[in-house]
Amino acid sequence: MSNAFQALKATAATRWQVLSVREQRSLAWLGLLLASVLIWGVAIAPAMHTLRDSDARRAHIGVQQAHMRALQAQAKALQQRTPLSRDEALRTLQSLSANSPFQLTVQGERVSVQLKTVPAQTLATWLTQVRNQAQVLPTEAHLTRGADTDKNNTTWNGSLVLRLPDNTARAQ
């Protein structure tokens, strides 16, 4: 392998000597240009692209961090709240569902909720209130999207099954 390299090197040197000074200078400039393009493509351009995108990435990471901190604060608040008894949770759930499109049916530790053409935002708000205030969590959901003509006003039909806190939890 080194013999082949030595032979190639000797052949290149011989051809270089045969070239005129002008041709040697042109080939040297061409080699310099190719080396510059290679260095640009491999080292400088990717680094500049990373530098150019860093502000957007930093902003996106900041938004993600703020969201994670909000979730962390929400989780801590949920962990520190006083547990409600089953009866208190049921009363809170019924008060949150009064004058709403939700029909509740209590079955022991479970509450079946029927809903018809409930706007998506109303359902999301109600579920958040039920989780935070009544400490009731959904265990089953059988929902179908309503036949809406306007995509901005999605409605839902179906049923939910919610689990009440067990009887051992007591408010203080």
Side-chain angles (χ1 to χ4, degrees):
M1 186 164 150
S2 66
N3 289 336
F5 180 71
Q6 293 296 332
L8 184 62
K9 186 177 175 183
T11 304
T14 304
R15 287 188 180 180
W16 183 261
Q17 296 301 323
V18 172
L19 296 174
S20 69
V21 174
R22 183 177 180 194
E23 290 173 328
Q24 288 177 354
R25 193 175 299 132
S26 295
L27 284 176
W29 279 107
L30 180 63
L32 184 62
L33 179 65
L34 288 175
S36 298
V37 168
L38 181 66
I39 289 172
W40 177 266
V42 171
I44 298 172
M48 288 184 69
H49 178 72
T50 300
L51 185 62
R52 194 176 321 118
D53 290 348
S54 66
D55 289 336
R57 287 183 183 180
R58 196 174 311 123
H60 181 68
I61 290 171
V63 168
Q64 285 180 327
Q65 184 181 23
H67 181 69
M68 293 298 290
R69 287 190 178 174
L71 289 175
Q72 180 185 27
Q74 185 179 22
K76 284 182 180 179
L78 289 172
Q79 289 172 346
Q80 294 174 352
R81 68 183 178 184
T82 303
L84 296 178
S85 69
R86 178 197 175 281
D87 294 335
E88 291 171 312
L90 183 57
R91 279 193 300 272
T92 305
L93 178 62
Q94 289 170 335
S95 70
L96 288 171
S97 303
N99 301 323
S100 71
F102 305 104
Q103 298 174 353
L104 305 178
T105 306
V106 180
Q107 302 161 343
E109 298 300 315
R110 298 165 44 128
V111 177
S112 178
V113 182
Q114 297 297 318
L115 46 134
K116 293 181 183 173
T117 62
V118 176
Q121 186 60 45
T122 303
L123 178 59
T125 302
W126 183 79
L127 283 171
T128 301
Q129 290 174 338
V130 162
R131 183 189 69 189
N132 291 337
Q133 296 174 24
Q135 299 178 6
V136 176
L137 298 173
T139 57
E140 292 179 35
H142 304 282
L143 301 173
T144 57
R145 183 179 239 162
D148 301 324
T149 56
D150 184 9
K151 291 186 179 186
N152 293 329
N153 295 321
T154 302
T155 60
W156 293 98
N157 300 309
S159 65
L160 296 169
V161 177
L162 307 174
R163 181 180 47 83
L164 294 168
D166 61 11
N167 283 328
T168 58
R170 297 284 180 235
Q172 296 176 350

